[in-house]
Amino acid sequence: QVQLVESGGGLVQAGGSLRLSCAASGRTVSTLAMGWFRQAPGKEREFVVRITRSGGTTYYADSVKGRFTISRDNAKNTVYLQMNSLKPEDTAVYYCAARGAAVTTNPLKYDYWGQGTQVTVSP
């Protein structure tokens, strides 16, 4: 069983930065395809970024491309989401997710989810 724990959310002004962490246990992240998703109030959960099991390929949603960066530390079994140039529309609960099969942008295909961490960006 894989457990994911996110941290690093908070309140930041527009233009600021935050780094989210997703610590995994039960399985090494190098064997997992992982993604970050977010959900704003009243909206569906949306894809943000994903990284392949090898860590060699990433794919970003257009809305965050050039501002967000996903990375992975195999030694710490942790995946990070560096968020720069934050905008009020980035406000949401951010979730990391994992699956043992090939990476995907479809949240329905992920098997494991963290509890989420709130990111609030003020104007």
Side-chain angles (χ1 to χ4, degrees), residues 22-66:
C22 174
S25 61
R27 192 164 166 178
T28 58
V29 294
S30 60
T31 68
L32 296 167
M34 300 192 70
W36 284 96
F37 296 81
R38 65 187 182 185
Q39 189 166 18
K43 295 188 176 181
E44 292 186 352
R45 191 165 299 189
E46 68 169 346
F47 165 76
V48 175
V49 60
R50 51 97 162 146
I51 187 167
T52 55
R53 285 172 288 185
S54 69
T57 304
T58 58
Y59 180 73
Y60 295 85
D62 287 343
S63 58
V64 306
K65 199 174 297 182

Side-chain angles (χ1 to χ4, degrees), residues 81-115:
L81 181 64
Q82 178 66 43
M83 306 186 295
N84 298 329
S85 302
L86 282 161
K87 304 175 181 180
E89 50 264 43
D90 294 319
T91 295
V93 177
Y94 283 71
Y95 299 90
C96 71
R99 67 192 302 250
V103 70
T104 176
T105 60
N106 186 347
L108 298 178
K109 294 187 179 294
Y110 281 82
D111 303 309
Y112 309 104
W113 290 85
Q115 82 288 352

